[in-house]
Amino acid sequence: MRQTILRTTALAAGLGMTAGAAMAQDIRFQCYSDGNECEVYDDLLSRFEAENQGVNITVDVVPYQAILENLPVQLAAGNGPDMAKVTDLGGLNQYYLDLAPYIDTAAWDEAFGNTLDWYRAGDRQGYYGLHTQLTITGGFVNATLFEQAGVEMPGEGATWDDWATATKAVAEATDADFPMAVDRSGHRVAGPAISYGAKFLDAEGKGTFDGFKPFAEQFVAWNEDGTMARDVWASQGGATYADAAQEFINGEVVLYYSGSWQVARLDEQVGDFFDWKVIGSPCGPTGECTGMPGGAGIVGFEQTEHPELVAKIIDFLAQKDIYAEAAARTRNLPAHQGVAAEGVTFEDVTPAAQEALSAFAADLKNVSPTAFAYQGYAGNRAMFGITVERLSQAIVGELTVDDAMTRMEDDLKAAAEGSQ
Amino acid sequence: MLAVITPLMRIIEIPMLALQRLLGINRLAWAFLLPNLILFGLFAFLPVILNVFYATSGSDNVLLQNRPFVGGQNFGQLLDCGNYIDANSCREDKFWRAVWNTVTFVTLQAGFMVGFALLTAVILNGRIRARGFFRSVFFFPVLLSPVVVALIWKWILQREGVLNAFLDWTGLGGINWLVDAQWAFGWSVFISVWAHMGFYTLILLAGLQAIPRDVYEAATMDGASGWRTFRRITLPLLAPTMLVVLVLALIRGVQTFDEIYAFTGGGPGTATTFIIQYIYERGFAGAPRLFGLAAAASLLVAGVLVVLTLAQLWANRRNVDG
């Protein structure tokens, strides 16, 4: 009798486990963090799991490099995750799951109308990405150095030239190493380049470097005469990313042009060392004073075995209350227009950081339509890389600016042919 | 023990005898080699064949079935040059910059490597104090990971690094080593020699110790000077080993990537971009991923490496044959 009971119990447990396994839906979410994003999503998604029995979401935290280099190869080979946090928004479009059949598209249009296009490419015009992390490029200045130098800080509407003159005077007076520094990134120089007349997209919506030359000439000249920190662009090769945040934190740079994602780092590491503030993007000769929008978003992939569930998870994160909580906890600017309109009180930040983030949010109105369109262009990553490589060669004297411009156009043509 | 092995051998003997009857005794050797050949084919030949497929196909698709055949187009793009000496006249200028950087790097690095390794080996072969300790010291960098080597030297040479701090302290003033193309290249050669010299020193030390003592004793009795002994006895008898070291250093030089990539990223500009970095960036780091172009470049490099490997085999054989 006892044996019969044991056998029956074991059989029931076995059947139960088998049934459980059959019902369980495992989702893998490949995530990278600029700060604490993956940790926050993991926490938010555990609420989704609690509301949806049998769903198991594994957040695989990977380095950013893996998202850039490994994920595309995984997807091409059909071995990708179910969903991921990506930055090559339009570039991976061919693999995206169209969420349209599973979500309230009207609500998404209302909330994310500004960023939905960034995930679209060619004739694939569905609903693909939840933009979780809106960023905008802009300048940070060391206000203490200005104060010490007794130089008046240029005001709203000041041009890049005005800032170059002012920061040079400050650097001279205070012995700071560099008047200005810009991250070594094609995305970072795109805003200033548009302010100098770069088009980036032609009438047919294809990539071009038309109008980029005036900025290239000025940028190379600034690197040659020491206005710009030459180390940042010249000490690396290829399209490798390099930032100048550490130099700014060390008080060596008067004006550092980077973006809103640096706020948390500066807030934490500068501390009371000096006062800093966000100045948005200086103006160029065209009268534009634009930065580049950007950021990261969560997408699902067509190769998932659970398309409906993946869409449901992404839609869960897109809900206003959840989205607002994620923005506040991750200290990222919201792309959700409803959340942005109501404003976000960011968690665990100092008043200086709150002010900086608010300044970046306010600067969004100055972003040129060209910058929005370029951010949404599927081939922008190739163009960013070409910009960095050729501009660096001009800075170190391997190419003249004219030769660099010719090479940029040739590279762009080759990239278009190569990706066909 | 024998009681266990003998029945086991008998069990194995049955299929082996059947196989021998089937294949004949001469062809049985292939059956023994087959497992190794399968593994070798899987991990060596298959990638080469795949590489040929990628080199002769286009697009940024990774799956072979989605890649259109383009014949020699990728090779044509790499070799399309007005003047091979002037990279700016080439369609794929970055490839030719990488090629010439590699040629210069390999020449300097292999030359210095053999020279310094020989000098070190001769010193370490002599009667010096703490010989064992110094042998370990020179070999130690070989044990370090290339990335660690790169990070250590970057820390020393960056604008606010240890070396500049020292130069500032002495009043000489620092130099921005990694922003100047010639300094960055020079330091790349130095670091590569520093990191790998221990290995070659070890080979040369073994070569030196293989030279019979009595030859030196005879030279001493004849009153030959130290320099004359080195020039007329050590160098000729060590020449075959030095040839092996030279060829190995050349092969290693062509393959240079990790430590220099971590050290300079290939910059400033393209000053320290070598051929393997070009292949990596074309195939994996850039956008779009031009696998075809990367595969074509890697086949060209493979050709160079095959020539160098044949040279090494020839040098080895010469060494063995005396």
Side-chain angles (χ1 to χ4, degrees):
Chain A
M1 182 64 185
R2 197 171 157 226
Q3 256 190 342
T4 312
I5 291 169
L6 277 173
R7 273 186 201 149
T8 314
T9 313
L11 188 67
L15 283 172
M17 280 169 74
T18 314
M23 283 171 66
Q25 291 178 295
D26 290 321
I27 298 293
R28 298 206 81 101
F29 172 28
Q30 205 171 92
C31 179
Y32 83 93
S33 274
D34 284 316
N36 61 346
E37 288 87 358
C38 300
E39 194 185 311
V40 170
Y41 292 132
D42 201 6
D43 182 42
L44 293 173
L45 290 173
S46 62
R47 285 185 216 164
F48 181 89
E49 287 171 325
E51 288 168 16
N52 296 270
Q53 289 301 314
V55 174
N56 177 33
I57 306 166
T58 307
V59 180
D60 295 312
V61 183
V62 297
Y64 179 50
Q65 206 69 2
I67 296 287
L68 284 184
E69 293 177 11
N70 301 357
L71 180 64
V73 179
Q74 281 180 289
L75 292 169
N79 296 324
D82 299 283
M83 49 194 280
K85 182 178 163 217
V86 298
T87 54
D88 187 8
L89 311 181
L92 297 173
N93 170 278
Q94 60 179 308
Y95 306 111
Y96 291 163
L97 169 72
D98 188 358
L99 310 175
Y102 315 106
I103 58 169
D104 177 357
T105 54
W108 272 60
D109 280 330
E110 197 187 333
F112 301 103
N114 286 343
T115 55
L116 286 172
D117 265 350
W118 294 353
Y119 297 82
R120 294 170 175 152
D123 55 359
R124 283 174 53 85
Q125 295 292 313
Y127 292 74
Y128 305 105
L130 167 67
H131 206 69
T132 52
Q133 194 174 344
L134 183 64
T135 60
I136 175 170
T137 60
F140 299 89
V141 287
N142 185 324
T144 303
L145 285 179
F146 266 94
E147 203 178 300
Q148 284 172 354
V151 174
E152 197 183 337
M153 203 181 285
E156 203 170 326
T159 63
W160 277 100
D161 275 342
D162 297 334
W163 278 103
T165 310
T167 54
K168 269 198 280 192
V170 172
E172 213 164 284
T174 58
D175 267 348
D177 290 345
F178 308 110
M180 299 200 286
V182 178
D183 290 342
R184 191 174 193 267
S185 151
H187 175 264
R188 230 64 86 239
V189 295
I194 292 169
S195 301
Y196 272 77
K199 302 276 181 281
F200 289 122
L201 295 173
D202 64 15
E204 291 170 12
K206 288 183 183 155
T208 174
F209 285 108
D210 267 358
F212 187 79
K213 193 177 165 189
F215 172 74
E217 282 174 331
Q218 182 62 79
F219 192 62
V220 170
W222 277 336
N223 273 277
E224 276 169 1
D225 70 13
T227 305
M228 203 57 83
R230 195 165 178 268
D231 292 43
V232 183
W233 281 67
S235 66
Q236 291 287 325
T240 315
Y241 171 77
D243 69 31
Q246 200 53 53
E247 283 81 354
F248 184 74
I249 291 164
N250 292 347
E252 297 166 344
V253 176
V254 184
L255 188 161
Y256 169 42
Y257 193 80
S258 185
S260 53
W261 59 95
Q262 297 281 10
V263 169
R265 182 177 173 186
L266 299 186
D267 187 34
E268 191 182 312
Q269 294 188 22
V270 173
D272 297 333
F273 184 39
F274 58 81
D275 293 331
W276 55 276
K277 65 177 281 191
V278 170
I279 57 154
S281 288
C283 305
T286 61
E288 294 262 29
C289 318
T290 182
M292 267 294 277
I298 296 175
V299 293
F301 297 113
E302 265 179 349
Q303 49 194 250
T304 179
E305 286 173 13
H306 311 289
E308 192 173 350
L309 178 59
V310 167
K312 200 175 166 190
I313 295 167
I314 296 176
D315 196 39
F316 167 79
L317 293 173
Q319 298 311 303
K320 197 174 168 190
D321 54 335
I322 298 288
Y323 191 99
E325 184 184 337
R329 289 173 65 186
T330 58
R331 289 155 291 201
N332 282 311
L333 298 181
H336 190 300
Q337 288 171 39
V339 174
E342 284 177 15
V344 179
T345 305
F346 300 101
E347 285 183 14
D348 300 325
V349 293
T350 62
Q354 178 74 41
E355 194 185 324
L357 286 166
S358 303
F360 273 117
D363 199 38
L364 271 167
K365 66 178 187 303
N366 295 325
V367 175
S368 136
T370 308
F372 269 105
Y374 188 33
Q375 177 57 30
Y377 177 53
N380 65 10
R381 202 172 155 248
M383 291 179 72
F384 293 155
I386 292 168
T387 306
V388 172
E389 284 187 353
R390 297 305 185 182
L391 213 46
S392 296
Q393 284 185 283
I395 288 167
V396 301
E398 282 179 6
L399 295 174
T400 63
V401 172
D402 283 335
D403 287 343
M405 290 308 305
T406 310
R407 286 288 182 187
M408 284 167 79
E409 290 292 355
D410 290 348
D411 288 352
L412 187 56
K413 208 172 133 200
E417 282 167 6
S419 58
Q420 273 167 11
Chain B
M1 189 70 175
L2 202 66
V4 179
I5 291 172
T6 310
L8 266 177
M9 293 307 287
R10 288 218 178 100
I11 294 169
I12 296 167
E13 197 178 13
I14 298 164
M16 292 317 288
L17 280 172
L19 201 64
Q20 187 178 319
R21 270 195 296 275
L22 189 74
L23 297 173
I25 196 154
N26 287 335
R27 272 178 279 180
L28 192 62
W30 289 104
F32 290 119
L33 289 173
L34 196 62
N36 194 23
L37 277 177
I38 290 171
L39 283 177
F40 190 68
L42 200 65
F43 293 107
F45 286 125
L46 187 64
V48 173
I49 293 164
L50 283 174
N51 212 14
V52 173
F53 277 117
Y54 277 103
T56 52
S57 57
S59 107
D60 57 348
N61 246 304
V62 76
L63 299 176
L64 282 175
Q65 67 266 29
N66 298 334
R67 297 179 59 81
F69 178 73
V70 295
Q73 191 183 298
N74 289 318
F75 293 97
Q77 188 173 335
L78 289 176
L79 301 174
D80 183 5
C81 252
N83 171 9
Y84 287 110
I85 306 291
D86 177 16
N88 280 337
S89 71
C90 301
R91 185 171 163 202
E92 196 58 29
D93 65 321
K94 282 179 269 181
F95 173 72
W96 285 99
R97 283 180 196 280
V99 166
W100 290 119
N101 284 344
T102 309
V103 169
T104 315
F105 177 82
V106 167
T107 310
L108 290 172
Q109 189 244 27
F112 283 123
M113 187 79 83
V114 175
F116 284 116
L118 178 64
L119 184 69
T120 317
V122 168
I123 293 170
L124 293 178
N125 195 41
R127 290 196 187 101
I128 56 166
R129 265 190 198 177
R131 193 165 63 168
F133 169 74
F134 283 114
R135 283 181 183 176
S136 309
V137 166
F138 279 98
F139 192 73
F140 181 68
V142 179
L143 304 175
L144 295 177
S145 142
V147 176
V148 171
V149 168
L151 293 180
I152 290 171
W153 282 99
K154 202 169 181 174
W155 180 66
I156 293 171
L157 296 169
Q158 63 196 7
R159 189 170 56 85
E160 295 193 322
V162 177
L163 183 58
N164 277 345
F166 175 74
L167 290 174
D168 282 337
W169 177 73
T170 58
L172 292 170
I175 294 173
N176 214 343
W177 308 103
L178 301 180
V179 175
D180 180 281
Q182 283 168 343
W183 276 118
F185 193 89
W187 278 112
S188 300
V189 173
F190 173 83
I191 290 166
S192 184
V193 172
W194 176 84
H196 303 286
M197 196 181 73
F199 173 69
Y200 301 104
T201 301
L202 210 66
I203 298 175
L204 288 175
L205 199 57
L208 282 172
Q209 287 173 354
I211 299 173
R213 291 281 101 193
D214 51 358
V215 185
Y216 287 109
E217 283 162 16
T220 311
M221 285 167 71
D222 288 343
S225 66
W227 171 240
R228 196 175 168 81
T229 308
F230 177 72
R231 211 157 47 90
R232 292 296 171 91
I233 295 174
T234 308
L235 271 187
L237 291 176
L238 198 63
T241 314
M242 282 172 65
L243 190 61
V244 171
V245 164
L246 178 68
V247 177
L248 284 176
L250 288 173
I251 293 173
R252 178 73 183 78
V254 174
Q255 294 172 327
T256 296
F257 169 59
D258 36 17
E259 66 206 9
I260 305 302
Y261 184 68
F263 177 53
T264 62
T270 57
T272 57
T273 300
F274 302 123
I275 192 68
I276 306 297
Q277 183 180 336
Y278 169 84
I279 292 167
Y280 165 69
E281 285 181 346
R282 272 303 189 203
F284 303 101
R289 290 173 174 78
L290 301 176
F291 300 115
L293 213 56
S298 68
L299 282 179
L300 293 177
V301 175
V304 173
L305 289 175
V306 164
V307 171
L308 289 172
T309 308
L310 289 176
Q312 189 211 343
L313 289 174
W314 170 79
N316 265 339
R317 184 159 295 176
R318 229 183 91 169
N319 206 358
V320 170
D321 295 344

